[in-house]
Amino acid sequence: EAKNRGRSRIRVFHQYMEQAVKERHTLETDIHQALKNDDIKLVYQPIVTFSENNCNGWEALARWQHPKRGLLMPDTFIPIIEQSSLMPEFGYWVFERVCQTIQQHHTSHSGQSFYISANLSVSQLKDRRFIDNISRLINQYAIKPGMLELEITESIAMYESKQAADILNQLKLMGIRIAIDDFGTGYSSFTQLKQLPIDKIKIDQSFIEDVPNNTEHTAMIKSIIAMARAIQLDVVAEGVETRSQYEFLQSLDCDFYQGFYFAKPSSQLRFKS
Ligand code: C2E
Ligand code: MG
Ligand code: MG
Ligand code: MG
């Protein structure tokens, strides 16, 4: 009886695994097609300045309008891309789109300073052609210093610290600003941070979620901001959803805010249309 139950559980497990492998395989072929068909697109979420009524930066976030599955969020397909061999192609596509958008916006809003930030993945950091590709795009789309920012998660920056430092230094030389994403989740030290050529840290949304009520998170945010001040880094709070979160963060002099309280990601570069 128990044995039978065990066996059937194993069978269910095998079916489940087979299904998962199949799904992964179809997603991989789909992604290639989706990039060609423009089913994958970028949306842009405003990054708002301290005073709330201003925004001069946007983060580019990927969305996939899948013909059968509907709208897919990046958490469902980025890990698959990352584990397949498709990341160089996908990453290049993202950066090229971002550069095109910068060029268009610069042309239609001449004189206004702005930037777009894009997320960098770990395999891009390890791709030998990455720096060449970026510098080609910068030239091709006449991207000026400060118009392009790249986000790298804290855990990638720390785990791959030697490689990261090398690549980030080269990006810096091209006038690209660097932000550390999901900050607070990766156990980095002050010393490690100081060794990287970064401009900004983005406090992970899991810390913002329950402030000002959660005293531990409140203390953490305070110390992150104090540390950032000490080494002249800008601070962005991610996932700001309520007025009270915003007011609390403002009381700590947080520089930038990103979240549904201000704006959801949209296909246009806009703020308070
Ligand atoms: P991330 O870089 O930390 O991006 C912020 C995520 O928080 C986005 O989720 C954004 O839509 C969401 N968000 C912003 N404000 C709020 C808020 O007030 N409340 C809540 N609950 N969520 C908010 P999204 O677009 O689903 O992206 C998830 C992650 O996928 C990103 O996290 C990033 O790590 C990754 N990702 C997205 N696009 C790309 C890409 O083009 N390339 C790479 N390598 N990764 C990407
Ligand atoms: Mg990001
Ligand atoms: Mg983030
Ligand atoms: Mg995040």
Side-chain angles (χ1 to χ4, degrees):
E1 167 63 68
K3 209 173 178 183
N4 276 338
R5 224 184 300 135
R7 246 188 242 130
S8 80
R9 246 188 239 143
I10 288 171
R11 196 170 55 232
V12 169
F13 177 72
H14 273 296
Q15 284 168 349
Y16 174 80
M17 286 304 288
E18 243 172 60
Q19 183 65 23
V21 168
K22 256 190 219 148
E23 272 195 17
R24 175 164 296 251
H25 184 75
T26 20
L27 276 179
E28 277 186 32
T29 25
D30 286 0
I31 284 163
H32 190 70
Q33 208 50 48
L35 290 172
K36 279 195 186 155
N37 297 350
D38 267 350
D39 288 341
I40 294 182
K41 59 186 179 103
L42 294 179
V43 289
Y44 301 92
Q45 186 177 32
I47 298 167
V48 177
T49 56
F50 183 83
S51 57
E52 184 182 13
N53 42 32
N54 212 343
C55 153
N56 64 347
W58 287 265
E59 177 174 5
L61 297 159
R63 297 288 180 267
W64 183 1
Q65 190 63 54
H66 193 283
K68 294 198 200 92
R69 293 160 195 241
L71 183 67
L72 300 180
M73 299 303 271
D75 289 332
T76 65
F77 61 88
I78 300 275
I80 295 172
I81 296 180
E82 187 73 271
Q83 285 163 35
S84 72
S85 54
L86 291 165
M87 191 42 104
E89 183 186 352
F90 173 77
Y92 190 83
W93 179 90
V94 169
F95 291 153
E96 179 154 32
R97 268 305 149 87
V98 165
C99 290
Q100 279 170 353
T101 306
I102 291 175
Q103 190 185 46
Q104 282 161 10
H105 192 78
H106 182 61
T107 312
S108 58
H109 296 71
S110 68
Q112 283 176 31
S113 86
F114 74 100
Y115 65 91
I116 300 182
S117 73
N119 293 284
L120 194 58
S121 77
V122 66
S123 57
Q124 287 176 290
L125 206 63
K126 293 181 169 173
D127 180 3
R128 288 171 190 284
R129 291 156 303 172
F130 173 67
I131 289 291
D132 283 348
N133 286 341
I134 287 275
S135 80
R136 182 166 353 102
L137 289 173
I138 296 262
N139 290 326
Q140 187 180 341
Y141 292 96
I143 305 300
K144 306 243 162 37
M147 286 183 172
L148 176 63
E149 233 175 73
L150 293 179
E151 301 187 5
I152 170 177
T153 63
E154 184 189 18
S155 38
I156 295 172
M158 296 308 133
Y159 187 65
E160 308 288 341
S161 59
K162 204 163 158 33
Q163 209 155 6
D166 184 46
I167 300 260
L168 299 186
N169 278 315
Q170 295 185 63
L171 294 173
K172 239 15 264 201
L173 289 174
M174 294 186 231
I176 296 171
R177 280 199 306 245
I178 314 289
I180 300 292
D181 207 354
D182 299 348
F183 192 83
T185 60
Y187 311 101
S188 57
S189 72
F190 190 74
T191 323
Q192 281 172 306
L193 268 188
K194 261 192 359 192
Q195 280 159 2
L196 294 175
I198 56 179
D199 304 281
K200 245 186 202 174
I201 56 186
K202 301 186 75 174
I203 304 178
D204 191 65
Q205 103 184 26
S206 60
F207 299 100
I208 309 296
E209 219 163 54
D210 47 10
V211 293
N213 300 327
N214 184 322
T215 48
E216 208 173 297
H217 287 171
T218 302
M220 211 136 150
I221 293 170
K222 281 183 185 162
S223 68
I224 290 173
I225 292 177
M227 177 206 69
R229 288 282 166 277
I231 51 177
Q232 271 108 47
L233 299 177
D234 282 335
V235 181
V236 185
E238 298 193 295
V240 180
E241 293 183 346
T242 67
R243 171 121 221 134
S244 70
Q245 289 168 346
Y246 171 53
E247 281 172 352
F248 167 75
L249 291 157
Q250 252 194 337
S251 76
L252 300 181
D253 278 338
C254 180
D255 306 290
F256 299 99
Y257 307 81
Q258 185 178 352
F260 298 164
Y261 176 66
F262 301 98
K264 294 212 162 150
S266 124
S267 55
Q268 309 291 321
L269 283 195
R270 62 158 186 237
F271 181 58
K272 290 192 176 154
S273 60

